[in-house]
Amino acid sequence: MELRQLRSFAALAEEQHFGRAAARLHIAQPALSQQIKQLERELGVALVDRTTRRVELTEAGRRFADHARAVLTSADRASSDMALVASGHAGRVSAGFIGTSTYDLLPLAAREVRSALPEVQLDLHGELLSPALVAGLLDGTYDLVVLRPDGVDRRGVEVRTLRREPLVAVLPDRHPLAGRPSIDLARLADEPFVMHFSGHRSSMHEHVLAACAAAGFRPTSVMEVGETATLVVFVAAGLGVALVPEPVRSLALGGVSYVALDGAPTVDLGLATRAGERSPAVRRVAEIVARTAELRGSASRPTRH
């Protein structure tokens, strides 16, 4: 049984006339008649009663017409779905985000993907660290990841820089420097710091140490945490101060004040995929994430007069 036969029978069932059905199918009438006879032999039942004027479906023919229409509808749907997959408009994409991009970029990019690619199933994972994201990318857990690109082993991955983000200080809202438009980082030299994990588990740890070194000091009291949200909560609890990328401001937790730094150092935000990624859906989602990051970065930059 072939789809060609089912389409021929479905047309005949609707037209109930060999001539009209053959014209609709753009084939000769004898060829149509031969297809129907072959289908009847394969099924072992008569599907039509032939008369000189018209064709009438037998009971078996009426029942088989329902099956034929269902099969043809399913086949057409499968063909359309494969066309969507081939063009990147359908499929499944797993995306991982570092903690700081979880708060501003993840929700914006997710909305853009849902709007532009409604047939793409997007699996989102946030509050992750760059080393874990790279490992997940290579083992297939994630299809694309947003991370800090510096220090990433680029074997097997392709990385592009999305934007540069200035560091800001996070202070308890009762801190003497809270609420100021900006401060010199050196004024925090004697403060206890809350930082991301050390030991190459988080690239932000090294960024903060480098920024402090450039300001002429090294934090002497450090508490380490894994998630950015936890870091901000600990600052709100008065356990120390912290440095975070500017987008963390969008994490609206009470009890803290975000203060700009004079001559603020910056950290890069990057997007990584597996080298030679072939999935059209992954490539389309990656472009949307990149475009959203660029627009979000432009919108957050202060206007200079």
mmCIF file with all atom_site columns, all heavy atoms in Angstrom, residues 44-56:
data_model
loop_
_atom_site.group_PDB
_atom_site.id
_atom_site.type_symbol
_atom_site.label_atom_id
_atom_site.label_alt_id
_atom_site.label_comp_id
_atom_site.label_asym_id
_atom_site.label_entity_id
_atom_site.label_seq_id
_atom_site.pdbx_PDB_ins_code
_atom_site.Cartn_x
_atom_site.Cartn_y
_atom_site.Cartn_z
_atom_site.occupancy
_atom_site.B_iso_or_equiv
_atom_site.pdbx_formal_charge
_atom_site.auth_seq_id
_atom_site.auth_comp_id
_atom_site.auth_asym_id
_atom_site.auth_atom_id
_atom_site.pdbx_PDB_model_num
ATOM 1   N N   . GLY A 1 44 ? -8.115  -7.061 -0.175  1.00 0.00 ? 44 GLY A N   1
ATOM 2   C CA  . GLY A 1 44 ? -8.987  -8.238 -0.222  1.00 0.00 ? 44 GLY A CA  1
ATOM 3   C C   . GLY A 1 44 ? -10.455 -7.901 -0.111  1.00 0.00 ? 44 GLY A C   1
ATOM 4   O O   . GLY A 1 44 ? -11.260 -8.777 0.258   1.00 0.00 ? 44 GLY A O   1
ATOM 5   N N   . VAL A 1 45 ? -10.838 -6.648 -0.409  1.00 0.00 ? 45 VAL A N   1
ATOM 6   C CA  . VAL A 1 45 ? -12.242 -6.242 -0.369  1.00 0.00 ? 45 VAL A CA  1
ATOM 7   C C   . VAL A 1 45 ? -12.516 -5.314 -1.546  1.00 0.00 ? 45 VAL A C   1
ATOM 8   O O   . VAL A 1 45 ? -11.607 -4.691 -2.106  1.00 0.00 ? 45 VAL A O   1
ATOM 9   C CB  . VAL A 1 45 ? -12.595 -5.495 0.945   1.00 0.00 ? 45 VAL A CB  1
ATOM 10  C CG1 . VAL A 1 45 ? -12.498 -6.412 2.149   1.00 0.00 ? 45 VAL A CG1 1
ATOM 11  C CG2 . VAL A 1 45 ? -11.701 -4.273 1.133   1.00 0.00 ? 45 VAL A CG2 1
ATOM 12  N N   . ALA A 1 46 ? -13.799 -5.239 -1.930  1.00 0.00 ? 46 ALA A N   1
ATOM 13  C CA  . ALA A 1 46 ? -14.211 -4.274 -2.948  1.00 0.00 ? 46 ALA A CA  1
ATOM 14  C C   . ALA A 1 46 ? -14.459 -2.940 -2.265  1.00 0.00 ? 46 ALA A C   1
ATOM 15  O O   . ALA A 1 46 ? -15.193 -2.861 -1.266  1.00 0.00 ? 46 ALA A O   1
ATOM 16  C CB  . ALA A 1 46 ? -15.469 -4.747 -3.652  1.00 0.00 ? 46 ALA A CB  1
ATOM 17  N N   . LEU A 1 47 ? -13.861 -1.876 -2.787  1.00 0.00 ? 47 LEU A N   1
ATOM 18  C CA  . LEU A 1 47 ? -13.998 -0.551 -2.192  1.00 0.00 ? 47 LEU A CA  1
ATOM 19  C C   . LEU A 1 47 ? -15.073 0.276  -2.880  1.00 0.00 ? 47 LEU A C   1
ATOM 20  O O   . LEU A 1 47 ? -15.639 1.192  -2.263  1.00 0.00 ? 47 LEU A O   1
ATOM 21  C CB  . LEU A 1 47 ? -12.659 0.201  -2.256  1.00 0.00 ? 47 LEU A CB  1
ATOM 22  C CG  . LEU A 1 47 ? -11.494 -0.436 -1.494  1.00 0.00 ? 47 LEU A CG  1
ATOM 23  C CD1 . LEU A 1 47 ? -10.212 0.341  -1.745  1.00 0.00 ? 47 LEU A CD1 1
ATOM 24  C CD2 . LEU A 1 47 ? -11.791 -0.489 -0.001  1.00 0.00 ? 47 LEU A CD2 1
ATOM 25  N N   . VAL A 1 48 ? -15.337 -0.014 -4.156  1.00 0.00 ? 48 VAL A N   1
ATOM 26  C CA  . VAL A 1 48 ? -16.313 0.773  -4.913  1.00 0.00 ? 48 VAL A CA  1
ATOM 27  C C   . VAL A 1 48 ? -17.216 -0.146 -5.721  1.00 0.00 ? 48 VAL A C   1
ATOM 28  O O   . VAL A 1 48 ? -16.827 -1.251 -6.114  1.00 0.00 ? 48 VAL A O   1
ATOM 29  C CB  . VAL A 1 48 ? -15.606 1.778  -5.863  1.00 0.00 ? 48 VAL A CB  1
ATOM 30  C CG1 . VAL A 1 48 ? -14.793 2.794  -5.075  1.00 0.00 ? 48 VAL A CG1 1
ATOM 31  C CG2 . VAL A 1 48 ? -14.722 1.049  -6.864  1.00 0.00 ? 48 VAL A CG2 1
ATOM 32  N N   . ASP A 1 49 ? -18.434 0.323  -5.933  1.00 0.00 ? 49 ASP A N   1
ATOM 33  C CA  . ASP A 1 49 ? -19.352 -0.293 -6.889  1.00 0.00 ? 49 ASP A CA  1
ATOM 34  C C   . ASP A 1 49 ? -19.339 0.576  -8.131  1.00 0.00 ? 49 ASP A C   1
ATOM 35  O O   . ASP A 1 49 ? -19.688 1.770  -8.065  1.00 0.00 ? 49 ASP A O   1
ATOM 36  C CB  . ASP A 1 49 ? -20.775 -0.362 -6.313  1.00 0.00 ? 49 ASP A CB  1
ATOM 37  C CG  . ASP A 1 49 ? -20.919 -1.459 -5.274  1.00 0.00 ? 49 ASP A CG  1
ATOM 38  O OD1 . ASP A 1 49 ? -20.188 -2.459 -5.382  1.00 0.00 ? 49 ASP A OD1 1
ATOM 39  O OD2 . ASP A 1 49 ? -21.745 -1.289 -4.362  1.00 0.00 ? 49 ASP A OD2 1
ATOM 40  N N   . ARG A 1 50 ? -18.932 0.012  -9.252  1.00 0.00 ? 50 ARG A N   1
ATOM 41  C CA  . ARG A 1 50 ? -18.799 0.776  -10.478 1.00 0.00 ? 50 ARG A CA  1
ATOM 42  C C   . ARG A 1 50 ? -20.089 0.676  -11.287 1.00 0.00 ? 50 ARG A C   1
ATOM 43  O O   . ARG A 1 50 ? -20.619 -0.412 -11.509 1.00 0.00 ? 50 ARG A O   1
ATOM 44  C CB  . ARG A 1 50 ? -17.622 0.269  -11.300 1.00 0.00 ? 50 ARG A CB  1
ATOM 45  C CG  . ARG A 1 50 ? -16.269 0.424  -10.585 1.00 0.00 ? 50 ARG A CG  1
ATOM 46  C CD  . ARG A 1 50 ? -15.201 -0.460 -11.207 1.00 0.00 ? 50 ARG A CD  1
ATOM 47  N NE  . ARG A 1 50 ? -13.901 -0.271 -10.607 1.00 0.00 ? 50 ARG A NE  1
ATOM 48  C CZ  . ARG A 1 50 ? -13.492 -0.857 -9.499  1.00 0.00 ? 50 ARG A CZ  1
ATOM 49  N NH1 . ARG A 1 50 ? -14.326 -1.681 -8.852  1.00 0.00 ? 50 ARG A NH1 1
ATOM 50  N NH2 . ARG A 1 50 ? -12.283 -0.645 -9.021  1.00 0.00 ? 50 ARG A NH2 1
ATOM 51  N N   . THR A 1 51 ? -20.594 1.843  -11.735 1.00 0.00 ? 51 THR A N   1
ATOM 52  C CA  . THR A 1 51 ? -21.730 1.875  -12.659 1.00 0.00 ? 51 THR A CA  1
ATOM 53  C C   . THR A 1 51 ? -21.328 2.741  -13.840 1.00 0.00 ? 51 THR A C   1
ATOM 54  O O   . THR A 1 51 ? -20.247 3.346  -13.850 1.00 0.00 ? 51 THR A O   1
ATOM 55  C CB  . THR A 1 51 ? -22.972 2.480  -11.981 1.00 0.00 ? 51 THR A CB  1
ATOM 56  O OG1 . THR A 1 51 ? -22.737 3.865  -11.697 1.00 0.00 ? 51 THR A OG1 1
ATOM 57  C CG2 . THR A 1 51 ? -23.312 1.741  -10.695 1.00 0.00 ? 51 THR A CG2 1
ATOM 58  N N   . THR A 1 52 ? -22.164 2.831  -14.811 1.00 0.00 ? 52 THR A N   1
ATOM 59  C CA  . THR A 1 52 ? -21.813 3.604  -16.008 1.00 0.00 ? 52 THR A CA  1
ATOM 60  C C   . THR A 1 52 ? -21.800 5.100  -15.726 1.00 0.00 ? 52 THR A C   1
ATOM 61  O O   . THR A 1 52 ? -21.133 5.860  -16.419 1.00 0.00 ? 52 THR A O   1
ATOM 62  C CB  . THR A 1 52 ? -22.820 3.321  -17.138 1.00 0.00 ? 52 THR A CB  1
ATOM 63  O OG1 . THR A 1 52 ? -24.141 3.605  -16.658 1.00 0.00 ? 52 THR A OG1 1
ATOM 64  C CG2 . THR A 1 52 ? -22.709 1.887  -17.593 1.00 0.00 ? 52 THR A CG2 1
ATOM 65  N N   . ARG A 1 53 ? -22.549 5.555  -14.719 1.00 0.00 ? 53 ARG A N   1
ATOM 66  C CA  . ARG A 1 53 ? -22.652 6.987  -14.475 1.00 0.00 ? 53 ARG A CA  1
ATOM 67  C C   . ARG A 1 53 ? -21.789 7.480  -13.310 1.00 0.00 ? 53 ARG A C   1
ATOM 68  O O   . ARG A 1 53 ? -21.265 8.577  -13.345 1.00 0.00 ? 53 ARG A O   1
ATOM 69  C CB  . ARG A 1 53 ? -24.116 7.366  -14.210 1.00 0.00 ? 53 ARG A CB  1
ATOM 70  C CG  . ARG A 1 53 ? -25.017 7.182  -15.424 1.00 0.00 ? 53 ARG A CG  1
ATOM 71  C CD  . ARG A 1 53 ? -26.394 7.715  -15.129 1.00 0.00 ? 53 ARG A CD  1
ATOM 72  N NE  . ARG A 1 53 ? -27.265 7.639  -16.290 1.00 0.00 ? 53 ARG A NE  1
ATOM 73  C CZ  . ARG A 1 53 ? -28.519 8.082  -16.307 1.00 0.00 ? 53 ARG A CZ  1
ATOM 74  N NH1 . ARG A 1 53 ? -29.047 8.616  -15.206 1.00 0.00 ? 53 ARG A NH1 1
ATOM 75  N NH2 . ARG A 1 53 ? -29.235 7.972  -17.403 1.00 0.00 ? 53 ARG A NH2 1
ATOM 76  N N   . ARG A 1 54 ? -21.698 6.694  -12.272 1.00 0.00 ? 54 ARG A N   1
ATOM 77  C CA  . ARG A 1 54 ? -20.980 7.178  -11.092 1.00 0.00 ? 54 ARG A CA  1
ATOM 78  C C   . ARG A 1 54 ? -20.375 6.026  -10.313 1.00 0.00 ? 54 ARG A C   1
ATOM 79  O O   . ARG A 1 54 ? -20.600 4.854  -10.634 1.00 0.00 ? 54 ARG A O   1
ATOM 80  C CB  . ARG A 1 54 ? -21.919 7.977  -10.193 1.00 0.00 ? 54 ARG A CB  1
ATOM 81  C CG  . ARG A 1 54 ? -23.123 7.199  -9.698  1.00 0.00 ? 54 ARG A CG  1
ATOM 82  C CD  . ARG A 1 54 ? -23.949 8.028  -8.734  1.00 0.00 ? 54 ARG A CD  1
ATOM 83  N NE  . ARG A 1 54 ? -23.149 8.416  -7.564  1.00 0.00 ? 54 ARG A NE  1
ATOM 84  C CZ  . ARG A 1 54 ? -23.603 9.206  -6.608  1.00 0.00 ? 54 ARG A CZ  1
ATOM 85  N NH1 . ARG A 1 54 ? -24.822 9.733  -6.695  1.00 0.00 ? 54 ARG A NH1 1
ATOM 86  N NH2 . ARG A 1 54 ? -22.859 9.500  -5.570  1.00 0.00 ? 54 ARG A NH2 1
ATOM 87  N N   . VAL A 1 55 ? -19.610 6.385  -9.310  1.00 0.00 ? 55 VAL A N   1
ATOM 88  C CA  . VAL A 1 55 ? -18.970 5.398  -8.447  1.00 0.00 ? 55 VAL A CA  1
ATOM 89  C C   . VAL A 1 55 ? -19.571 5.535  -7.058  1.00 0.00 ? 55 VAL A C   1
ATOM 90  O O   . VAL A 1 55 ? -19.710 6.650  -6.540  1.00 0.00 ? 55 VAL A O   1
ATOM 91  C CB  . VAL A 1 55 ? -17.441 5.641  -8.381  1.00 0.00 ? 55 VAL A CB  1
ATOM 92  C CG1 . VAL A 1 55 ? -16.809 4.731  -7.343  1.00 0.00 ? 55 VAL A CG1 1
ATOM 93  C CG2 . VAL A 1 55 ? -16.811 5.428  -9.745  1.00 0.00 ? 55 VAL A CG2 1
ATOM 94  N N   . GLU A 1 56 ? -19.947 4.434  -6.471  1.00 0.00 ? 56 GLU A N   1
ATOM 95  C CA  . GLU A 1 56 ? -20.448 4.438  -5.101  1.00 0.00 ? 56 GLU A CA  1
ATOM 96  C C   . GLU A 1 56 ? -19.518 3.606  -4.227  1.00 0.00 ? 56 GLU A C   1
ATOM 97  O O   . GLU A 1 56 ? -19.074 2.532  -4.638  1.00 0.00 ? 56 GLU A O   1
ATOM 98  C CB  . GLU A 1 56 ? -21.865 3.872  -5.043  1.00 0.00 ? 56 GLU A CB  1
ATOM 99  C CG  . GLU A 1 56 ? -22.909 4.763  -5.680  1.00 0.00 ? 56 GLU A CG  1
ATOM 100 C CD  . GLU A 1 56 ? -24.315 4.228  -5.477  1.00 0.00 ? 56 GLU A CD  1
ATOM 101 O OE1 . GLU A 1 56 ? -24.439 3.153  -4.827  1.00 0.00 ? 56 GLU A OE1 1
ATOM 102 O OE2 . GLU A 1 56 ? -25.264 4.874  -5.941  1.00 0.00 ? 56 GLU A OE2 1
#
